[in-house]
Amino acid sequence: MNERKAGLRVVGYGLALLLIAAAAWHWRQDFMGALDRVGASEVLLLAGLVLGQWVVRAVRDSFLLRVQGHRVPFVSLMHINGVQTGLNYLPLKAGTVSSAWMFKDRHRVPLVDFGVQIFLQSFLTLLVSFSGIVLWAGVSDGGGLRWAGVLFGLALVWLMPWWLLARG
């Protein structure tokens, strides 16, 4: 990395920390009031769920990127997912745009491959969601369990070629 990029990164992180500190100072009374209403166990549970979600997303992204022939370090995927999650609260899905830039700039993943990854993520999420909905409906009325199995089987059949490609 050249000195200019390193300097820009330091400035970017400094600005981000400054904005976070300003927001924390501005809403400190609301934050402290919220902390009084919830216990430490709830805060730790929420933090654990967020961290767990980042780990699952990093594993999924690692798998999908390997299928496309890219090797991105797991720690870097965790960082990119954290940035994406934080920035997606801004308008226009700024987190997705920043992720595309980070993959292209830091790991030389072409934008087309990033787009394919987003499509595969969405398709996989859709399959898992439909399986869950059908499973829930099957448990509630007793007749849809076989359809949940069919959808789960379709998800596995769809994933098998990708898994074989990623291995080899």
Side-chain angles (χ1 to χ4, degrees), residues 41-79:
S41 60
E42 287 90 355
V43 172
L44 288 174
L45 176 66
L46 183 60
L49 288 172
V50 169
L51 184 62
Q53 183 244 10
W54 284 354
V55 169
V56 168
R57 285 177 53 200
V59 168
R60 177 201 61 197
D61 292 348
S62 176
F63 172 76
L64 292 174
L65 287 166
R66 283 179 187 264
V67 166
Q68 294 176 314
H70 303 290
R71 303 282 191 246
V72 179
F74 190 78
V75 172
S76 184
L77 289 172
M78 290 286 290
H79 175 250

